[in-house]
Amino acid sequence: MALPVRRRLPALSLLLLLGAGGLRAAERSSSAMEEIATEKEAEESHRQDSVSLLTFILLLTLTILTIWLFKHRRVRFLHETGLAMIYGLIVGVILRYGTPSTSGHDKPFSCSQENRPFTTLLVNVSGKFFEYTLKGEISPGKIHNVEQNDMLRKVTFDPEVFFNILLPPIIFHAGYSLKKRHFFRNLGSILAYAFLGTAVSCFIIGNLMYGVVKLMKLVGQLSDKFYYTDCLLFGAIISATDPVTVLAIFNELHADVDLYALLFGESVLNDAVAIVLSSSIVAYQPTGENTHAFDAAAFFKSVGVFLGIFSGSFMMGAVTGVVTALVTKFTKLHCFPLLETALFFLMSWSTFLLAEACGFTGVVAVLFCGITQAHYTYNNLSIESRSRTKQLFEVLHFLAENFIFSYMGLALFTFQKHIFSPIFIIGAFVAIFLGRAAHIYPLSFLLNLGRRHKISWNFQHMMMFSGLRGAMAFALAIRDTATYSHQMMFSTTLLIVFFTVWIVGGGTTPMLSWLNIRVGVDPDQDPPPTNDSFQVLQGDGPDSERRNRTKQESAWLFRLWYSFDHNYLKPILTHSGPPLTTTLPSWCGLIARCLTSPQVYDNQEQLREEDSDFILNDGDLTVTYGDTTITANGSSGPHTATTSLDGRRTKSSSEEALEHDLGAADHEVTSRGTRLVFPLEDNA
């Protein structure tokens, strides 16, 4: 019997309400399940992040323990960076082949209406918006074989991590720990190797690799585009030398100090030149349809970019160092060593980020910031802060460098876009050898024409052998791996770094022995004296001899600005140097008194002696023999033969006058009360 309509309507409404309630309950249950799943995914991601970082920490710990064992057993065939790479390789193999792949839910969507990829993508899924970021391009043949191992993705770092976190302490430590004495004595040669040599090496390698690319295209081994500018970029990347292994062995064996200074100085400035050179090559953009053809306007624009970036980065680093020096001088931060050290650390690190934010190169900026900090700010720090800053950046440098080398070993198996081409790899090794030879031997020949202490053939062979590639080349190569050519360059760079660190680094000790290069040398000991008849020995001890010899042999470029720095910049920026009241004109007395630190008057004599380690002023030298007095500025006493010493050993001035007019074997020289001796050959 059918119910009346009035009684059916409430029943229908009740059924609808129950159905709606059930749907809402189901939606709430589904939403709760989604939240639980999201929380689980976040927790799993956090766990994997912790495991990946723990992996690198364990790698570094194992490396440190093995280094101790090697040092204890005096093993020198493998350096700590090579150990870090080996451990990284082992972990990479385990992660690649020993961990199961996770089941992913990747599904390709077609966006045929768009002509470029987006960095960030918002996807609407059932009314909820999700954000996705660009990971990179996948070739069509691998679209269904995308690696789903989340752990491999976790241990693959963003390239910006290397540039913004790991590189700054490495580069800053190189500038902050620079041994100024040997560096400035070889400054001209170092600049020639770093600037001219790196440019020559870059263009030789780039042109040779362009020929290799043409050969690959001819034999059908090139599957995508590879332009001439890509070859030049590879030349700039691979020209960045990093002989950390060789230098560590040199330091341990106390190898020849001048050879160490040449290699260290070249590698420090060479990294800066290589990164600016790569930036200028990237900026090369000819006008017209063919954007990879040669264009004179674009070439000169790239040259201008190189000069602008390098000079701007240099000025930014120097200015930051000067600002830090002024802050530490005119404040009482030295009373709080912890705050002083923290400010020093932050100002030094911010130099890198500031330069990058302004469009310059942070590597150049932080390098010259480190040199400026060591020259000026270090004098203003308290005793505790001096020790802390040295040790802090030394530890950061050690950890960052070994972290990078560990990651290199890991990246050989975890990087998912490797392209290995045998022809390209062999051609790269040949091009690097020829580029290094053209870098060292012709420049050394030209430099020897003007050097007092010649760069011997043994030194040249050792510098040729020591052209390792390391952290900087790897960081430059991994920074951009979006295209086929860049992926091939990165894979080849990785193999080159492996070979040079293991083979060349391991052969350093035998090469030193084979080339008969001095080892066991005191870092403060000078090279053996030559047969030159003119020699200045200041004071009666080895320290005085070393100081005056450094003065005579310092590069002329350094001697040009030393006087200005010693008389004006040092007193303004530090608590050292002569008082400004004695160097500035009398009408600047008020400014001089305001800028001169009271500590200058107490430390003047001590600081004068420290500064004398670099240069010999012409007006400070007086030669006395019997009744005859010769002064460097040309003045003379009774019965005086006058000559002029300009800091350079010219036969026509100093030696010739002394030998001709005095004709004796030993002569007494006084310089501000200091006794000097000129041992001259007897012409009789």
Side-chain angles (χ1 to χ4, degrees):
M1 180 179 179
L3 293 174
V5 175
R6 285 180 305 175
R7 297 181 62 182
R8 277 187 304 182
L9 286 177
L12 183 60
S13 299
L14 181 60
L15 291 174
L16 291 175
L17 288 174
L18 290 174
L23 288 174
R24 284 196 294 269
E27 289 178 358
R28 285 196 299 269
S29 177
S30 176
S31 178
M33 293 295 292
E34 289 180 0
E35 291 179 358
I36 293 174
T38 302
E39 290 178 357
K40 287 185 177 180
E41 289 180 0
E43 184 179 353
E44 180 67 19
S45 177
H46 172 72
R47 187 186 65 83
Q48 291 179 354
D49 287 337
S50 301
V51 171
S52 62
L53 292 177
L54 179 62
T55 301
F56 285 103
I57 291 177
L58 292 178
L59 279 174
L60 292 176
T61 304
L62 185 60
T63 302
I64 291 172
L65 294 176
T66 313
I67 291 171
W68 168 81
L69 181 62
F70 275 35
K71 288 184 179 294
H72 181 67
R73 299 294 183 182
R74 298 185 182 275
V75 177
R76 295 191 180 98
F77 67 86
L78 188 62
H79 187 249
E80 59 200 45
T81 54
L83 282 172
M85 295 173 71
I86 292 176
Y87 291 143
L89 281 171
I90 295 173
V91 174
V93 171
I94 295 174
L95 292 177
R96 181 74 177 183
Y97 302 107
T99 55
S101 298
T102 56
S103 59
H105 303 281
D106 292 348
K107 180 180 179 181
F109 289 91
S110 177
C111 299
S112 57
Q113 297 179 354
E114 305 296 336
N115 55 6
R116 64 181 181 88
F118 295 96
T119 304
T120 303
L121 191 64
L122 296 178
V123 179
N124 185 352
V125 180
S126 301
K128 295 182 179 181
F129 289 89
F130 298 89
E131 181 180 2
Y132 296 85
T133 57
L134 180 66
K135 288 290 185 181
E137 184 181 0
I138 301 174
S139 61
K142 297 181 179 180
I143 195 168
H144 297 294
N145 297 316
V146 179
E147 182 62 58
Q148 296 296 329
N149 194 326
D150 292 334
M151 182 57 68
L152 293 182
R153 293 181 177 179
K154 293 293 183 181
V155 297
T156 303
F157 284 94
D158 188 336
E160 295 303 316
V161 172
F162 292 96
F163 266 81
N164 296 330
I165 297 178
L166 298 177
L167 276 185
I170 296 176
I171 303 300
F172 182 85
H173 178 263
Y176 194 53
S177 62
L178 186 69
K179 294 182 178 180
K180 294 183 289 185
R181 176 182 171 234
H182 301 293
F183 179 84
F184 286 118
R185 185 161 66 183
N186 298 278
L187 181 61
S189 301
I190 290 172
L191 292 177
Y193 285 128
F195 284 86
L196 185 58
T198 303
V200 169
S201 176
C202 168
F203 283 100
I204 288 179
I205 294 174
N207 284 278
L208 290 176
M209 293 310 299
Y210 187 64
V212 172
V213 168
K214 289 294 185 181
L215 177 62
M216 293 173 60
K217 186 176 182 180
L218 186 64
V219 298
Q221 295 294 319
L222 196 66
S223 58
D224 208 335
K225 297 178 181 179
F226 208 121
Y227 298 106
Y228 177 69
T229 51
D230 295 326
C231 296
L232 287 180
L233 179 62
F234 179 72
I237 289 173
I238 212 65
S239 294
T241 60
D242 185 19
V244 57
T245 305
V246 176
L247 292 176
I249 295 175
F250 278 14
N251 192 43
E252 185 177 354
L253 296 177
H254 299 292
D256 191 282
V257 289
D258 281 332
L259 177 60
Y260 183 93
L262 287 172
L263 276 175
F264 179 78
E266 180 209 354
S267 66
V268 167
L269 296 178
N270 165 273
D271 290 345
V273 174
I275 191 171
V276 179
L277 197 59
S278 63
S279 299
S280 60
I281 292 174
V282 172
Y284 178 80
Q285 294 179 348
T287 57
E289 296 181 358
N290 190 357
T291 58
H292 294 274
F294 177 78
D295 184 37
F299 172 77
F300 287 109
K301 179 183 177 182
S302 296
V303 173
V305 169
F306 175 86
L307 297 176
I309 291 178
F310 195 93
S311 58
S313 303
F314 165 77
M315 290 299 299
M316 185 167 292
V319 168
T320 306
V322 167
V323 170
T324 309
L326 290 173
V327 171
T328 54
K329 176 183 177 180
F330 292 104
T331 61
K332 298 294 184 180
L333 273 176
H334 64 272
C335 299
F336 306 95
L338 180 61
L339 300 180
E340 190 179 37
T341 304
L343 178 67
F344 183 92
F345 174 81
L346 293 176
M347 290 292 290
S348 302
W349 202 305
S350 64
T351 305
F352 184 94
L353 301 177
L354 180 63
E356 291 289 335
C358 294
F360 296 110
T361 300
V363 171
V364 180
V366 78
L367 170 64
F368 287 100
C369 176
I371 296 176
T372 308
Q373 301 276 46
H375 191 58
Y376 297 114
T377 311
Y378 185 80
N379 296 320
N380 300 335
L381 299 178
S382 61
I383 301 299
E384 294 88 345
S385 295
R386 291 182 183 183
S387 176
R388 284 177 179 176
T389 53
K390 286 285 187 181
Q391 294 174 359
L392 173 63
F393 280 101
E394 185 176 5
V395 171
L396 290 176
H397 162 263
F398 173 81
L399 292 177
E401 192 168 58
N402 281 278
F403 184 93
I404 290 179
F405 279 94
S406 297
Y407 185 78
M408 287 184 198
L410 203 68
L412 187 63
F413 292 97
T414 59
F415 186 73
Q416 302 177 32
K417 301 176 184 178
H418 279 305
I419 299 178
F420 295 104
S421 172
I423 298 178
F424 191 85
I425 293 171
I426 296 173
F429 275 99
V430 175
I432 289 171
F433 178 82
L434 296 177
R436 184 68 179 174
H439 176 174
I440 297 298
Y441 295 114
L443 273 182
S444 299
F445 171 78
L446 295 176
L447 291 171
N448 280 338
L449 298 178
R451 281 180 62 98
R452 179 175 300 119
H453 291 285
K454 309 301 182 184
I455 303 174
S456 66
W457 282 106
N458 290 350
F459 278 21
Q460 295 178 40
H461 296 330
M462 194 67 216
M463 294 179 68
M464 169 70 187
F465 179 80
S466 303
L468 281 76
R469 272 61 180 179
M472 180 57 68
F474 174 79
L476 287 173
I478 200 176
R479 198 173 192 181
D480 183 8
T481 56
T483 63
Y484 169 84
S485 59
H486 288 191
Q487 292 167 8
M488 185 181 294
M489 289 190 295
F490 171 71
S491 302
T492 305
T493 301
L494 202 57
L495 293 181
I496 291 172
V497 173
F498 285 165
F499 177 84
T500 55
V501 170
W502 288 339
I503 306 301
V504 178
T508 300
T509 303
M511 184 63 68
L512 284 173
S513 177
W514 184 64
L515 293 175
N516 295 320
I517 294 176
R518 296 189 309 157
V519 295
V521 179
D522 184 354
D524 292 327
Q525 179 182 347
D526 288 296
T530 61
N531 294 325
D532 298 333
S533 60
F534 179 78
Q535 187 178 3
V536 180
L537 303 178
Q538 181 180 6
D540 298 324
D543 291 339
S544 299
E545 174 184 347
R546 172 178 59 82
R547 289 172 183 168
N548 196 53
R549 189 164 185 170
T550 302
K551 298 170 187 177
Q552 295 290 330
E553 296 168 359
S554 295
W556 65 270
L557 185 63
F558 175 70
R559 294 200 300 267
L560 287 178
W561 70 268
Y562 171 82
S563 180
F564 176 77
D565 173 71
H566 175 73
N567 293 329
Y568 303 105
L569 294 183
K570 273 285 187 71
I572 292 175
L573 300 177
T574 69
H575 300 300
S576 62
L580 289 173
T581 52
T582 62
T583 58
L584 289 177
S586 57
W587 53 271
C588 298
L590 179 61
I591 298 177
R593 286 190 296 271
C594 292
L595 294 179
T596 302
S597 172
Q599 301 179 22
V600 169
Y601 298 97
D602 299 332
N603 301 334
Q604 182 179 1
E605 182 62 25
Q606 174 187 354
L607 294 167
R608 184 194 65 78
E609 293 176 359
E610 292 177 358
D611 285 338
S612 69
D613 197 29
F614 296 108
I615 198 67
L616 180 63
N617 295 328
D618 292 347
D620 298 339
L621 188 61
T622 303
V623 181
T624 303
Y625 175 69
D627 296 332
T628 305
T629 302
I630 301 175
T631 59
N633 59 10
S635 63
S636 61
H639 309 290
T640 300
T642 304
T643 185
S644 174
L645 297 176
D646 60 357
R648 300 173 60 185
R649 296 185 64 255
T650 57
K651 191 80 172 178
S652 59
S653 60
S654 305
E655 285 184 85
E656 190 173 357
L658 286 170
E659 292 178 359
H660 176 71
D661 294 336
L662 302 180
D666 294 314
H667 309 280
E668 188 180 79
V669 183
T670 58
S671 172
R672 289 180 180 174
T674 306
R675 182 176 179 274
L676 290 83
V677 176
F678 288 79
L680 302 177
E681 295 179 357
D682 197 332
N683 295 329

